Amino acid sequence: MKRTLLAACAALLTLVAPASHAALRAVACEPEWGALLRELGGDRVAVYVATTALQDPHHIQARPSLIASVRRAGLVVCTGAELEVGWLPILLRQAGNPAVQPGQPGYFEAADAVRMLEVPTRLDRADGDVHPGGNPHIQTDPRNIAAVAGALAARLARVDPANAAFYQARAADFARRWQAAITRWEAAAAPLRGLAVVVHHKAFPYLEDWLGLVEVAQLEPKPGVEPSSGHLAEVLQGLKQHPAKLVLRTPYNDARASEWLAQRAGLVAVMLPNTVGGDDRASDLFGLFDDTIDRLLKAVAQ
Amino acid sequence: MNRHTLTTAALVALVGGPALAHAAGSDDLQALRDEIAAIRHSYDARIAELEARLKQAEAHADAAGRTAARADDTARQVAARSTTRPAAANAFNPAVSLILSGTYGNFSRDPSSYRIGGFIPGGDEIGPGERGFSLAESELAISANIDPWFYGGLNLALTPENEAEVEQAFVQTTSLPHGLTLKAGRFFSGIGYLNEQHAHTWDFVDAPLAYQAFLGKQFGDDGVQLKWLAPTDLFLEFGAELGRGRNFPGSDRGINGAGAQAVFAHVGGDVGVSHSWRAGLSLLRTTPRDRAYEDVDHGVVNAVSGTSRLWIADFVWKWAPNGDATHTNAKLQGEYFRRKEDGSLVYDVDGAASEGRYASSQSGWYLQGVYQFMPRWRTGLRYDRLNSGSTHYGANAGVLDASGYDPTRLSLMVDWSPSEFSRWRVQVARDKARRDAPDTQLMLQYLMSLGAHGAHRY
């Protein structure tokens, strides 16, 4: 009786277990790191992406499916800088997987590899949803992607030493192609230098830093607080003194606030893909920046 | 250099042109030529000098800019370093978070007469709370990784009666292989869905009637818990607990063994990108000895001994368009309870102490839906229903009323959350827990979260 029960359990497990046998399973907290893992790992890494571009990475539910994905992961790649503080700790604690706990080689934070912007000098929740480590939306500057790629390739080689040479070769190839693309993007984006923009959420400081855009206002009264009509009126008033050309938002920001402002202040509302999957063209990292630059140029030409 | 030649040509045209037209003799002509050459020479020298100075100034400005950029970088690094540099002995302080909560209650019936009709009262924490203003449960939580192998946490509940209660105090492994997690200490049992969640994360002010009737509000125990998460795409989790069994439906027995045993299984996953779900099945077995309760009808104290088995089936389903819950989302959740108790009951422990057989088979359920219709605003509806089933009192059947009553309650709430750290809530309920005495309840509540950013369970 006991034996049949065990056999039944084993049969059930083989049924629900997936067939794929890639060497390394990786969970990416955000789509950009999933895309980077695919660039560096090719078919040697099975990538599970925990969120989509249409989801606000600040607010994700610690869903059962995510816990199950972390359970078998050999590597967890997240932005860090407390972007995932509301859900990742639960996944890590409930997954029963010692390999991917913070401090282990299987836990990778991209923010460690880049220079952080907007590191607050004052920590107070009255200032809204501020992150002690700096603004976590680092993926909008391709130079950051390059820096993370280097660190991530080294980490892949450490976690999966059997394929170390493979990862390093792919990383070198990616770095070459990426550098060429950056040169191309920077040339194309030259006319954007000094462009004044309004943003919905402070999601683009790294993009602004890279392209020389000037942020004059935010639609959120405080980071993470939804735009209110009172604050929008203030922004509208402020634009008279510091005019801007564009109002930028991510795919997960509600379009209504930026369209309201665009109509009244004569701005062009632009949805930027923000991460891989943010729109059809941003299907990989190269497409992400091709599309970002194109959308900005097109909006400026309007 | 083009500019240079042009200037010279212009000078020649201006100065030389008219002079040439009025030239009289060859000497004059020669003198004029010399003069022009001298002027040209001096201007050339002046212009060359000015250009050199301009170049120098440009170089200086560039260097200054670079120095400024470097200084800026250094300042940033210093700022980054100073924010990450630990403040000596405080650096390893655990995460501290404080939940502040307060309520205002307006009840048409005195809460001190609260009884769930047809059910033996489960502890003193049941009921809608106090009339008027009161501090609801505020809570202090402290947690941190202990070392590479353990995580630990403490939750102190601060009650309106100026008492601090240890709600949870546990250590948990982070390093066991194969999906295993071991927990020890005092913690909320993993049975059911709502049981493991702290009161401040509930969608309604109070616990479902079934939780109040079958678990005395929430079942926490001192003991150990082992959980195993299956290595599958589908979320499949199994857990077992051994505990002291001190709390209702158990009672403290002061024995070497375990007074409570629980097993549970959870399964869950996603349906597309917008839907997710979890379902569970749990069994809690306790063996109370002299579990006393106040028999309000007779003004005496009775006590139950025996075995109590509680089955719980639970499910939750959540929807958020494209998985983005920040704008709109919905949640449907329900749990079904079934309890069998078997043993003996002593009527009037301090007086008659008449012992008789006791057996009951009772059930109950609730179903609730919460809908966030716009950012910050949610509304929810909950329906509670209990079935007092059958109760046998044996020799005490003459004094104890075994007639059935099926309590119900309907609750409606609206809450507003200016940020993820603050929430204000209004709840109205029609509570028919008391036999033939419906209670209309109005509750206002605030819930504030200070300090470390807590991560919430599914």
Side-chain angles (χ1 to χ4, degrees):
Chain A
M1 177 63 201
K2 213 174 198 174
R3 202 172 294 167
T4 20
L5 204 69
L6 275 176
C9 280
L12 187 76
L13 285 182
T14 45
L15 268 179
V16 287
S20 84
H21 286 291
L24 179 67
R25 283 174 185 278
V27 172
C29 284
E30 289 85 19
E32 62 268 19
W33 311 132
L36 187 57
L37 278 165
R38 283 191 196 102
E39 293 281 356
L40 303 177
D43 58 356
R44 311 268 169 103
V45 179
V47 183
Y48 181 94
V49 183
T51 60
T52 75
L54 299 179
Q55 297 167 359
D56 184 346
H58 297 277
H59 305 286
I60 299 294
Q61 298 250 329
R63 301 195 308 274
S65 58
L66 300 186
I67 299 171
S69 73
V70 173
R71 158 73 168 90
R72 285 187 296 169
L75 179 64
V76 169
V77 179
C78 296
T79 297
E82 296 210 344
L83 177 63
E84 303 94 352
V85 68
W87 49 284
L88 185 61
I90 287 278
L91 302 187
L92 295 176
R93 270 209 301 284
Q94 299 212 347
N97 182 350
V100 297
Q101 299 299 321
Q104 298 295 325
Y107 180 77
F108 180 89
E109 285 193 356
D112 289 344
V114 306
R115 196 193 72 181
M116 300 301 286
L117 298 181
E118 298 184 350
V119 179
T121 48
R122 185 180 105 112
L123 281 181
D124 190 336
R125 286 262 163 76
D127 298 335
D129 193 9
V130 289
H131 296 266
N135 190 307
H137 304 287
I138 58 174
Q139 81 284 3
T140 55
D141 181 346
R143 298 169 303 182
N144 284 349
I145 302 282
V148 174
L152 185 55
R155 189 60 69 88
L156 279 167
R158 189 167 160 206
V159 174
D160 182 17
N163 288 312
F166 176 80
Y167 299 132
Q168 291 303 351
R170 280 190 78 100
D173 176 54
F174 173 74
R176 217 168 17 249
R177 287 183 295 132
W178 195 248
Q179 206 49 55
I182 290 181
T183 313
R184 181 159 52 81
W185 291 322
E186 284 178 350
L192 298 173
R193 195 151 285 277
L195 179 74
V197 296
V198 176
V199 297
H200 181 114
H201 174 67
K202 285 182 89 60
F204 303 105
Y206 297 89
L207 181 75
E208 290 157 6
D209 183 55
W210 175 47
L211 297 180
L213 311 182
V214 181
E215 184 178 309
V216 298
Q218 302 92 34
L219 302 188
E220 292 181 343
K222 302 274 181 192
V225 179
E226 290 284 329
S228 61
S229 51
H231 178 70
L232 286 179
E234 270 173 39
V235 172
L236 188 60
Q237 195 63 32
L239 280 174
K240 285 179 185 153
Q241 264 154 29
H242 303 282
K245 188 91 177 62
L246 310 179
V247 49
L248 310 180
R249 68 169 195 274
T250 67
Y252 58 80
N253 290 144
D254 197 324
R256 280 173 298 186
S258 45
E259 265 149 23
W260 182 91
L261 189 74
Q263 262 182 10
R264 277 162 187 78
L267 308 183
V268 183
V270 189
M271 192 275 282
L272 293 181
N274 188 49
T275 182
V276 173
D279 61 19
D280 292 344
R281 262 190 85 196
S283 57
D284 64 7
L285 286 167
F286 291 92
L288 168 63
F289 287 97
D290 282 340
D291 190 54
T292 301
I293 303 282
D294 278 2
R295 278 173 180 258
L296 287 172
L297 288 171
K298 237 177 249 165
V300 168
Q302 267 181 34
Chain B
M1 287 307 116
N2 258 347
R3 192 168 33 135
H4 188 162
T5 359
L6 268 175
T7 329
T8 323
L11 275 171
V12 172
L14 275 170
V15 182
L20 272 173
H22 298 280
S26 65
D27 279 2
D28 285 357
L29 215 63
Q30 188 54 46
L32 269 172
R33 277 198 191 109
D34 288 352
E35 209 174 319
I36 289 169
I39 291 171
R40 184 189 290 158
H41 187 77
S42 102
Y43 269 85
D44 273 3
R46 288 276 307 274
I47 287 169
E49 188 201 341
L50 282 171
E51 273 184 342
R53 274 169 63 185
L54 177 68
K55 232 178 221 166
Q56 216 174 351
E58 274 176 355
H60 273 306
D62 209 27
R66 270 202 301 274
T67 318
R70 262 202 306 275
D72 192 31
D73 269 5
T74 320
R76 267 200 196 122
Q77 279 160 9
V78 168
R81 239 181 275 138
S82 66
T83 50
T84 51
R85 178 178 297 154
N90 264 352
F92 286 103
N93 270 355
V96 178
S97 71
L98 179 67
I99 309 293
L100 294 181
S101 159
T103 54
Y104 169 78
N106 186 316
F107 310 129
S108 65
R109 290 186 187 275
D110 186 357
S112 65
S113 72
Y114 197 84
R115 270 208 64 183
I116 299 178
F119 285 77
I120 287 180
D124 44 12
E125 287 199 25
I126 66 165
E130 287 186 56
R131 266 178 164 166
F133 292 101
S134 78
L135 264 190
E137 220 165 73
S138 293
E139 196 180 305
L140 181 68
I142 300 173
S143 65
N145 281 328
I146 295 163
D147 57 19
W149 299 280
F150 301 104
Y151 166 87
L154 168 75
N155 289 67
L156 285 178
L158 310 169
T159 68
E161 292 82 31
N162 300 333
E163 285 165 353
E165 229 173 68
V166 179
E167 208 167 52
Q168 293 204 104
F170 64 91
V171 293
Q172 179 185 321
T173 61
T174 56
S175 53
L176 287 184
H178 310 300
L180 291 168
T181 309
L182 186 67
K183 202 190 239 185
R186 176 173 299 180
F187 51 87
F188 288 135
S189 167
I191 57 172
Y193 171 69
L194 213 49
N195 193 66
E196 225 173 343
Q197 305 199 358
H198 289 271
H200 70 267
T201 65
W202 293 352
D203 296 320
F204 290 83
V205 177
D206 44 9
L209 277 188
Y211 270 90
Q212 301 194 29
F214 295 112
L215 294 170
K217 191 175 156 192
Q218 200 165 9
F219 186 71
D221 204 4
D222 300 356
V224 291
Q225 178 195 64
L226 184 68
K227 275 206 296 198
W228 180 67
L229 186 60
T232 51
D233 282 346
L234 189 75
F235 173 82
L236 205 54
E237 180 187 68
F238 301 93
E241 292 168 4
L242 287 178
R244 186 173 181 87
R246 179 175 49 97
N247 289 332
F248 185 85
S251 75
D252 208 340
R253 295 173 54 192
I255 54 166
N256 283 324
Q261 302 93 34
V263 287
F264 54 86
H266 297 140
V267 55
D270 292 342
V271 181
V273 72
S274 302
H275 305 266
S276 61
W277 60 279
R278 200 195 88 164
L281 197 61
S282 324
L283 170 63
L284 171 68
R285 180 181 176 276
T286 50
T287 45
R289 282 289 170 278
D290 302 324
R291 185 183 77 203
Y293 71 95
E294 268 183 72
D295 184 345
V296 184
D297 297 338
H298 301 92
V300 296
V301 173
N302 303 335
V304 171
S305 304
T307 308
S308 173
R309 280 186 194 83
L310 175 67
W311 288 89
I312 309 174
D314 64 88
F315 85 93
V316 58
W317 167 83
K318 294 188 188 186
W319 166 83
N322 295 313
D324 177 28
T326 45
H327 301 111
T328 54
N329 66 73
K331 179 177 172 185
L332 186 70
Q333 130 193 5
E335 295 185 64
Y336 174 78
F337 291 67
R338 182 162 194 86
R339 183 176 68 189
K340 274 183 191 294
E341 295 200 313
D342 209 344
S344 64
L345 185 147
V346 179
Y347 171 76
D348 190 6
V349 180
D350 304 318
S354 117
E355 184 171 344
R357 185 173 174 260
Y358 161 70
S360 73
S361 172
Q362 304 183 302
S363 64
W365 55 273
Y366 75 90
L367 184 69
Q368 71 181 50
V370 174
Y371 177 50
Q372 179 172 314
F373 51 95
M374 60 186 281
R376 307 179 194 188
W377 288 92
R378 308 190 311 160
T379 182
L381 189 67
R382 175 180 66 187
Y383 182 70
D384 286 285
R385 188 177 180 88
L386 300 180
N387 182 347
S388 63
S390 63
T391 308
H392 303 283
Y393 289 117
N396 289 320
V399 276
L400 289 168
D401 179 14
S403 71
Y405 177 69
D406 296 342
T408 62
R409 183 176 64 177
L410 188 65
S411 317
L412 174 72
M413 76 87 188
V414 176
D415 65 23
W416 174 64
S417 311
S419 76
E420 59 181 310
F421 304 107
S422 61
R423 175 167 285 167
W424 294 85
R425 179 179 288 150
V426 183
Q427 179 175 323
V428 288
R430 180 81 171 155
D431 188 337
K432 295 182 183 169
R434 296 176 184 83
R435 228 179 260 260
D436 308 319
D439 186 13
T440 305
Q441 304 166 342
L442 168 72
M443 287 180 248
L444 307 176
Q445 184 189 34
Y446 66 79
L447 290 158
M448 307 282 157
S449 157
L450 290 70
H453 192 311
H456 285 163
R457 292 167 169 281
Y458 178 72

